[in-house]
Amino acid sequence: GQNIDQPTEMTATEGAIVQINCTYQTSGFNGLFWYQQHAGEAPTFLSYNVLDGLEEKGRFSSFLSRSKGYSYLLLKELQMKDSASYLCAVMDSNYQLIWGAGTKLIIKP
Amino acid sequence: GAVVSQHPSRVICKSGTSVKIECRSLDFQATTMFWYRQFPKQSLMLMATSNEGSKATYEQGVEKDKFLINHASLTLSTLTVTSAHPEDSSFYICSARDATSGEYNEQFFGPGTRLTVL
C-alpha cells in the first residue's frame, strides 16, 4: 500500500531552526510537495522536489532522497507565524497526490 | 499566481437538506479539479477527481450518489452534498490543476468551505 509518514507534532523556539521529516512508500514517484496549512485554512504550496538534493527558498529549504524514500523541510529563523501544520505529499505514478497526516509545528517565544 | 475560489466559505444547514459548493479557477483553465474533505486534526482525504466534460472518479468509500460532482466547464466544478447529515460536517477543499502549463502539475487550492450540518 501507499504510505506517507511524518511526525504528528513538533515544538521549536522562535528564531531557531527546525527540520520536519517525511518518509514515503508509494506506487511510482512524480515529485514530493510540502504544503503549509494554518488552522481553518486551505493548504498553501511551499516546495516541490523531484530530483535528489536540496531546494532552497528563502527561510525554507526542502531535501529529497529518492533512494531512501525520504524528504525533510527545514525552516530557519522561525517566526511565530510559522506555527501551522506542514503537509508532505507525494505524486504517484497516476499523478495523484498521496498526503501525509501533517506535522503540527508549535513555535514558542 | 493561479487563484482558485470557493463559495460559500461557510455554510450551516439542517439535516436532510442539500448543499452545493462551487469551485472556480479564476485565471487559468482547470483541466482537472480535485475535491478533498478534512476532518479536525486529520489530513486531507481525496474524495474525487473530475476532468472537464467527463464523469468524476470517486475514491473508495465515497458515495457518488451522495456527493454529486459536476465539472461542466474549464473554470467551474461543483460539489453537491445531498441529504446532508451531521456526520458530513467537515472542511471541504477543492484544488485545480492546469495540466497544459506549469513545471510540475502543481495543485492550486481553494480557501475551503466549512460545512456544519445541524
Side-chain angles (χ1 to χ4, degrees), chain A residues 35 37 42 48 95 99-101, chain B residues 36 38 43 97 104 107 109-110:
Chain A
Y35 283 85
Q37 185 178 26
Y48 171 77
Y95 293 95
W99 293 88
Chain B
Y36 292 89
Q38 186 176 35
S43 189
R97 186 173 76 202
Y104 39 75
Q107 291 185 23
F109 285 87

Side-chain angles (χ1 to χ4, degrees), chain A residues 45-96:
Chain A
F45 171 79
L46 289 179
S47 68
Y48 171 77
N49 294 70
V50 67
L51 299 176
D52 289 351
L54 187 68
E55 295 279 344
E56 297 186 76
K57 191 184 294 185
R59 294 189 298 116
F60 293 3
S61 303
S62 56
F63 171 84
L64 174 68
S65 169
R66 289 172 296 172
S67 62
K68 296 181 179 179
Y70 167 70
S71 172
Y72 67 73
L73 179 69
L74 190 72
L75 293 76
K76 302 177 184 176
E77 302 169 18
L78 287 170
Q79 301 174 10
M80 297 303 292
K81 67 178 182 179
D82 297 329
S83 292
S85 287
Y86 291 85
L87 306 175
C88 173
V90 173
M91 186 167 281
D92 68 9
S93 56
N94 294 319
Y95 293 95
Q96 296 277 49

Side-chain angles (χ1 to χ4, degrees), chain B residues 51-62:
Chain B
N51 294 295
E52 184 265 338
S54 61
K55 290 184 178 180
T57 302
Y58 289 81
E59 295 299 301
Q60 194 171 11
V62 178

